[in-house]
Structures are given as C-alpha cells and as structure tokens.
Amino acid sequence: MSDHEEYEVVVLGSGAAGKLLAWTLASQGRRTAVVERRYVGGACPNIACLPSKNVIHGARVASYFRRGAEFGIANGDWKVDMAAVRDRKRKMVDGLVALHLEKYRESGAELVMGDGRFVAPKTIEVALNAGGTRTLRGQTVIIDTGSRARMDDTTGLAEARPLTHVEALELDQLPGHLIVLGGGYVGLELAQAFRRFGSRVTVVERNGALIHREDPDVTDAIERLCRDEGIEVLTRTAVDRVEGQSGESVRLHTGHGGIEGTHLLVAGGRTPNTDGIGLEKVGVETDGKGHVKVDERLRTTAEGVWAVGDCAGSPYFTHIGEDDFRVVLANLTGGDRVTTGRQVPFCLFTDPELARVGLSEREARERGVGYRLAKVPMEAVFRAQTISETRGFLKALIEEGGDRILGFTAFGAEAGEVMAVVQVAMLAGLPYTALRDAVLTHPTMAEGLAALFSSVPRG
C-alpha cells in the first residue's frame, strides 16, 4: 500500500491507556497518531466515569434538601431542574475535552477523528469524520477501542430503544418511573441518583442478589440502602419480553408478572468494541467474549500490535487502563512490567460508597485461604457521627498466623478515600498493626481504621 502514511506509533482509540501512551511517546519525539471516532479522551471524561459522578453528586445535594430538617434547616419549596443538572455535567465535559485537546497540542501527538479499521498488518484505514480517508501504518500499533453497554437478545428489548448510561446522563426531563435492568455498578449508581431526583425507580436483577459476586453482608447492605430510599428491588427476576417504547411507556414481562414504567435503562454489563475493526485480517485473535487476546505484557497475537483497557479484557476500570499504560510503556522503552498480580481496587459510587481492595471473604473461602476477620460498624467512626452518615461498616481480612492484610471492604461515607490508606499499606507490605497503632487525625474517616484493626482476633 504505497499511499499510506508512516508513523512510529498508531493508537486506535483514545481511552485512558491509549491517550497516555500517545502523549508520552510523542513527547519523547516519536511520530504518533491517535484515531478516535467520536469521544476525545475516550468514555471516561465524556460519557462514563466523570460525567456520572457529576450527576450523582447533584443527586446527593438533592438528598440533603430532603434531609434538611435533620440538620435544623426548615424545608422550603424546591424542585430538581434536570436540564440544569445536565448542563452542569456538559460544562464539566467541555472543560475536560478542552484539556485533552491541549495535551495533544503540547505533546505533538496527532489526533485523527474518524472510524478506523485494520486493512493490513499494522495498517489502519480511517474513514474521516470530515470526509475522505487516510491510511496510517505504525511500527507499533496499540488497540484501545474500549467497550459499550451490552444489549441482550430479549424479545422486544432493542425495539424498545432503552436508555444506556450515555442517554441517561443526557436526560433533561425526570423519568416518571425508571426501570433499571441490572443490579451492578452502573445500574445501582443511576438508580439511586434518579430516585433522589424524584423518579420512581425499580431495579430488576436476574441473579439472587444485587452485585451478587460480593459477600452476603455487602449485598444485604446495598439492598437495604435501596429499599430505605424507596427503590423497588426485584431479584431472581428474568425478563422474557419487552413491549413499548422507553420514554413513553414500557412493559417488562417476567415469570413473576409484568412491570410497567415510563423509561427503561439497560445496565446489564458491557461488551468490548472489537467487532468490525478488521482484527481477523491481521492475525489479532479474540476470545469467546470478544476481548483481544493478550499476554501478561499486553501483546496481542500479531507482531507489533498491543491492546489495552476494556477491549483487552482488563478489569473495566479507568484506573486499570491507566496501569495498562504503565505496562505497555515499560515494555516499549526497555523496561519489564506485567499485569500479573496487580491490585484491582474498586469503588461503587452509591451514597454511601462501597469500596474494596484485595480478597473478599467469598474469594478467600473459594481459594482456601485462611483469615481472621475484623469488622466494625460505621457508628464506631466518630467522624461519621458528626456528619450523620453512620450507615455501613468497615471490615478487613488478616492472614492466619501472621499480620498481613489480605483484603479490605468499606461500605460507608468516603469509603473510597479510606480504602486508599489501606491499599498503600498493603502495597508496602505493612502489618495491620501499623495502621492500628498509627497516629491518625481526629476526627477523620480514616481514623476508623484504628478501631477496625484494634478488633482483629488473636491469631
């Protein structure tokens, strides 16, 4: 192909790992191009992590208005303006996109807006958004095409034109009755947010519990939170058929009867964006779920081609995508870094938050790992009492016959921030006694770790 343009690095997709690799390698003087079909910076700053947390925070503010009397504030007339909620989110996104464009200018990486696909080894043809085509060939090619909301083949579901998180974050009118299909991260975060804005909300989950892979005390606590906030929760409920149109009237037919609402949100998982980009033409293999097959260094089955982030089957978190960047960068620049054995912390941004790093009790039992359990209620954390946020608990798994922290779970206010303290201790290999005996500022949420680790049973 004589008409192709030569680059040292070509990145297909501009998600967390891809853009960081492009900016870094371009700053080092390598001629680098990034192909992005729509969202500059990928999903996180545009339609996922950051916009959703922006809207969720708005819902938290609304909840404080409802709780005003609890804090000695007389309730007055107020209402939620969803158009203003959406516009606040859009303003933040516009700022983030501008920041990304500046990073491209500063680094020298070229941003090519269009739909890319492989047409030959390490060669990508781009149907440009502005019209025409370009063909880019890289000495190194990195696939970072991300993932999208999964739509199963339930009869009538696609025809109902349900919302995904993308459309839900763009609503300028409050749904009368939002039905959420899926009791995982996205479903629960948005279910609580729209309930707090004022919608009636029903969560439909086919498994026996919400976030069913977590420990029973966690799933029970999350379900109690939903019910206390007026969210209807239907577990062990499979949908056989869908009728109607989301945004007007929709009806779900299940083995337990019908569920009627005005809007339907699909939040039942994600699928990698690897179809239709020509992987089969260039020897890049995928697995049964559509993820690009990679080794521990994120190399694909095609020479000179790497894959990162969601599309490579990495855990679906932006912070893991950022670590994929570190792995690939190290291996491209003479280092030696792998994905094997890395920590995968997560945080569910309900209010209160759920955060975990390391082993859960369920995982420890499945692996035959012995542990000692420490657990305290959030009521034991004085800071939680001062802000009237005592729902939840802290718990930790400590190895049998030793002092190593195997895992930590927090369900409570600022759980994600508290988790980071424990994670750093785990990374440093510190014994749990280091946190038990640390002088932590009073009163803070992290101070609760002293109470938690003081409750570790004797080994």
Side-chain angles (χ1 to χ4, degrees):
M1 301 183 67
S2 58
D3 57 346
H4 67 254
E5 303 171 60
E6 288 284 352
Y7 290 83
E8 291 180 77
V9 181
V10 174
V11 183
L12 182 59
S14 71
K19 66 192 178 191
L20 290 172
L21 282 163
W23 297 340
T24 303
L25 295 170
S27 296
Q28 295 174 354
R30 305 191 192 196
R31 191 182 185 209
T32 302
V34 177
V35 178
E36 173 55 53
R37 62 184 177 185
R38 183 174 182 183
Y39 296 115
V40 176
C44 176
N46 286 276
I47 57 172
C49 316
L50 299 180
S52 66
K53 306 315 172 278
N54 181 290
V55 170
I56 288 167
H57 183 71
R60 185 178 187 181
V61 172
S63 76
Y64 280 133
F65 275 81
R66 289 193 172 87
R67 295 173 59 189
E70 179 184 347
F71 299 99
I73 301 171
N75 288 326
D77 292 332
W78 62 276
K79 66 176 182 178
V80 172
D81 181 349
M82 286 303 297
V85 171
R86 181 202 61 190
D87 291 346
R88 173 177 173 268
K89 183 265 302 185
R90 285 181 173 179
K91 181 179 179 181
M92 183 197 73
V93 171
D94 289 345
L96 292 170
V97 170
L99 178 64
H100 280 74
L101 292 173
E102 181 60 28
K103 292 291 291 184
Y104 277 102
R105 285 190 289 269
E106 290 177 354
S107 67
E110 182 181 357
L111 178 61
V112 181
M113 298 300 295
D115 201 351
R117 62 186 181 90
F118 284 90
V119 292
K122 297 194 285 189
T123 305
I124 294 173
E125 182 182 80
V126 186
L128 300 172
N129 291 350
T133 62
R134 289 175 61 182
T135 303
L136 315 179
R137 186 182 186 281
Q139 297 173 21
T140 297
V141 174
I142 299 158
I143 306 169
D144 187 21
T145 49
S147 64
R148 63 185 182 275
R150 184 172 65 236
M151 189 86 65
D152 66 31
D153 57 0
T154 300
T155 301
L157 179 59
E159 290 77 10
R161 300 179 66 184
L163 304 166
T164 69
H165 66 283
V166 179
E167 295 80 24
L169 294 173
E170 275 292 297
L171 288 175
D172 59 4
Q173 297 291 326
L174 194 63
H177 181 187
L178 177 66
I179 302 172
V180 179
L181 275 182
Y185 302 111
V186 174
L188 291 174
E189 289 178 358
L190 292 180
Q192 184 187 49
F194 279 99
R195 178 58 187 154
R196 288 180 164 189
F197 285 136
S199 294
R200 179 184 171 191
V201 177
T202 300
V203 176
V204 180
E205 169 59 50
R206 69 178 62 193
N207 294 289
L210 303 177
I211 52 171
H212 65 281
R213 293 187 178 88
E214 294 302 314
D215 290 337
D217 58 348
V218 171
T219 60
D220 290 346
I222 291 291
E223 186 166 329
R224 285 198 303 272
L225 170 66
C226 289
R227 295 191 188 280
D228 288 350
E229 297 210 4
I231 299 170
E232 183 182 15
V233 176
L234 302 175
T235 54
R236 303 186 190 281
T237 302
V239 177
D240 302 320
R241 181 164 52 93
V242 179
E243 293 178 347
Q245 289 279 310
S246 179
E248 299 174 4
S249 177
V250 65
R251 180 178 176 85
L252 277 59
H253 294 267
T254 77
H256 305 297
I259 308 166
E260 295 186 6
T262 60
H263 293 70
L264 178 61
L265 169 64
V266 174
R270 302 189 65 75
T271 189
N273 293 323
T274 56
D275 49 322
I277 59 173
L279 298 182
E280 69 284 350
K281 297 180 180 179
V282 294
V284 175
E285 297 178 9
T286 57
D287 64 18
K289 294 183 178 181
H291 297 116
V292 176
K293 289 183 179 180
V294 294
D295 63 13
E296 71 278 6
R297 288 177 170 78
L298 299 172
R299 296 174 295 202
T300 73
T301 52
E303 184 180 357
V305 180
W306 306 68
V308 291
D310 294 5
C311 72
S314 297
Y316 283 15
F317 301 114
T318 295
H319 47 278
I320 295 300
E322 291 173 348
D323 192 62
D324 282 359
F325 148 69
R326 300 182 193 104
V327 171
V328 174
L329 180 65
N331 285 281
L332 288 177
T333 55
D336 181 19
R337 187 164 179 156
V338 297
T339 60
T340 309
R342 63 183 172 185
Q343 286 185 338
V344 183
F346 79 85
C347 189
L348 169 69
F349 289 91
T350 48
D351 180 23
E353 298 169 357
L354 170 67
R356 179 162 69 82
V357 64
L359 293 179
S360 66
E361 291 187 75
R362 183 191 299 271
E363 291 171 339
R365 287 194 296 268
E366 289 174 349
R367 300 180 191 182
V369 176
Y371 63 89
R372 292 177 283 157
L373 177 67
K375 186 175 181 179
V376 297
M378 286 300 292
E379 290 178 343
V381 183
F382 293 124
R383 177 60 174 165
Q385 294 192 30
T386 69
I387 61 174
S388 296
E389 299 289 354
T390 55
R391 180 187 289 269
F393 55 84
L394 306 173
K395 73 173 182 176
L397 278 61
I398 308 300
E399 66 178 335
E400 282 186 339
D403 294 338
R404 186 163 56 98
I405 305 169
L406 302 177
F408 173 78
T409 301
F411 177 54
E414 301 181 30
E417 311 299 331
V418 176
M419 174 183 64
V421 177
V422 182
Q423 184 182 3
V424 171
M426 293 171 68
L427 287 168
L430 296 176
Y432 80 89
T433 53
L435 293 176
R436 180 195 68 189
D437 300 334
V439 179
L440 300 172
T441 304
H442 172 78
T444 59
M445 288 297 185
E447 184 189 24
L449 296 174
L452 173 67
F453 289 113
S454 292
S455 71
V456 175
R458 291 182 179 272

